[in-house]
Amino acid sequence: MLDGFRQRWRAATLRHRLTTFYTGLLVVLLLLTALTVQTMMRHDLERALEGDLADTQTQFTELVPSLHLSLGEAGSDGLAEARSKFPSSVIQVDPLVPRSQTTDLRAEWAAAQDDKGRQALLDFLHKQSEALRLRPVGIDPAAPLELSDHELARLLESPSGQILINRSVKPQFSDPEPMRILVALTPLKFQKGAGGGSEEMLAVTFIGRSLNSLNRTVTRLQLIMGGLLLVGSFLAGIGAYVLAGWALRPLNTVRHAVEGIDSQNLQARVPVPHSDDEVEALAVAFNRMLERLEDSFETQRRFSSDASHELRTPVTAIGGHATYLLRRTELDPQQRESVQIIQRESARMTDLIGSLLQLARSDGGVLTLKSQLLFSQMLLHEVARELRPLAESEGAVLVPAGQDIPFEADPDRLRQVLNNLISNALKAGATRIELGSTQPEPGRVRLSVSDNGPGIAADQLEKLFDRFYRLEDSRSRDRGGAGLGLSIARTIVDAHGGRIWLESEPGQGTQAYVDLPVGNLPALDDDDIP
């Protein structure tokens, strides 16, 4: 799973990475803020509620003498009066033991020697509370509040004589609801009976307040923070995407400019944004690199052009003198063979020099095209007719076929491309070469040269368009090629705004494709189409 995430992260664009990172960072910050605010709000509300409970406990303790509480059911009227004074609270009083019998239950709890003695004290207190409990107010009498052994032990051990508990309490006429309850162990005065005076007893008082209001407040806060989180995340994502695009726009400008620069327009330069940052430094570095490349290419082109011009005269002279010797002098067989070799090599050198000059002109941007209206089938038939004697001498046949598609191109340059492709097929030993033309899409024409030769390995196909690259297998056959034909063909096709490529498999033959735009064709009548 982690590897899949890494792959998707690496495949994403820099803009999407920045957007994801900053949006995620903001979401985390908003989430932490929401949790912090919620925690602090709940804490403050609970502290406020506990403060109210403590105030209510103090006021209730002070109010008890005036309530004239009596042990048993008669005490319900007094608690009902307390309820009227504290309408938001529930109250329960569990008398335990008279003060005359014990002064401090906590001291007795601390004095207990073992767990058995402490458990006996807890059991005694539970029985007393059940037996002497006054009728609670705000609580269903059938479900009064009771302390567990652990909670009662906590109360006896508390230095303040008070503990706070959370409990689901069933009001008298409604469903159970969560409450925060302050439990206090405190002395209270109770009436012994009619005219019998009063007696102070240690009692457990329960003062509770509903948590529904607090929980509703926290829930509303959660909804508000959740909404803010969603809206903030959405706006942050949009903002981060827009800002990342704005920040990366100069880089995209530089990238598009660099993509449009090749060996034909090395004089072009990358636009330099005046941003005084790394993008401006990158654009300046690109332009300096392009200057160095332009100087290097220009030096290379000038050398090729100058060398070709300088070599053409002596090579032509060598070929001419070799021809003169063969025609005008008497040579013995060995001399004639040597002179013929000189003649062939001088002709080969002349072709090589012509190819170098053409490439130099192309590199210098002076390759001119003389476009005119052509018909694909007419062009293919003319090429087949011109090269048929050569093909027949090699034991091969040329078969033109396909659609007849009008288009604009330089006929001489295009014949040069097709001648090269057919010559390569013949050199490879093909016995059948098919010339075709199709229209892959409106506005395009595709010429093809397919042969049944030995084929080419896939890793060699693109290398064949490199200058002076030649295969070492039977496709080259040492037939005098210099490895410049396909380079020149690509140069010509590129000048037409087209594309040339090869498709092949070993043992399955080779297909060469030339894809060209049809150009700006005039309106043609039926009489114009041959």
Side-chain angles (χ1 to χ4, degrees), residues 251 254 270 277-287:
L251 279 179
V254 171
V270 171
D277 56 12
E278 291 82 356
V279 179
E280 180 179 356
L282 178 64
V284 172
F286 265 121
N287 286 336

Side-chain angles (χ1 to χ4, degrees), residues 397-410:
V397 294
L398 294 177
V399 182
Q403 299 176 250
D404 197 12
I405 303 166
F407 65 102
E408 279 191 338
D410 187 324

Side-chain angles (χ1 to χ4, degrees), residues 257-428:
V258 170
E259 288 176 347
I261 297 174
D262 54 23
S263 60
Q264 303 299 322
N265 61 340
L266 282 175
Q267 71 280 358
R269 292 294 179 267
V270 171
V272 179
H274 301 289
S275 53
D276 295 328
D277 56 12
E278 291 82 356
V279 179
E280 180 179 356
L282 178 64
V284 172
F286 265 121
N287 286 336
R288 290 174 180 171
M289 180 189 68
L290 289 172
E291 290 176 1
R292 294 192 296 271
L293 287 175
E294 184 182 11
D295 292 341
S296 176
F297 270 77
E298 180 60 25
T299 301
Q300 178 184 351
R301 186 196 64 78
R302 192 181 300 113
F303 171 78
S304 299
S305 179
D306 295 345
S308 299
H309 277 293
E310 293 298 326
L311 289 173
R312 172 176 285 183
T313 300
V315 168
T316 302
I318 292 172
H321 283 286
T323 302
Y324 176 81
L325 290 175
L326 288 173
R327 291 180 178 178
R328 299 296 180 91
T329 59
E330 295 292 335
L331 302 174
D332 58 40
Q334 186 175 0
Q335 291 172 336
R336 180 171 292 276
E337 181 180 1
S338 297
V339 173
Q340 288 175 343
I341 292 174
I342 293 173
Q343 186 185 41
R344 286 197 302 271
E345 291 302 317
S346 65
R348 179 173 174 272
M349 185 64 71
T350 300
D351 292 339
L352 176 60
I353 292 171
S355 298
L356 288 173
L357 280 173
Q358 185 169 350
L359 287 173
R361 294 191 189 98
S362 174
D363 292 340
V366 294
L367 182 63
T368 58
L369 299 177
K370 299 179 181 179
S371 297
Q372 62 185 62
L373 178 62
L374 300 176
F375 292 88
S376 59
Q377 278 302 298
M378 181 182 297
L379 175 67
L380 295 180
H381 279 82
E382 290 178 357
V383 171
R385 185 168 56 253
E386 292 173 0
L387 295 183
R388 187 166 286 116
L390 176 62
E392 291 175 351
S393 67
E394 299 287 344
V397 294
L398 294 177
V399 182
Q403 299 176 250
D404 197 12
I405 303 166
F407 65 102
E408 279 191 338
D410 187 324
D412 295 332
R413 299 290 188 183
L414 207 51
R415 286 193 186 94
Q416 185 179 355
V417 172
L418 295 172
N419 289 347
N420 179 269
L421 297 176
I422 295 171
S423 298
N424 287 343
L426 292 174
K427 293 175 184 178

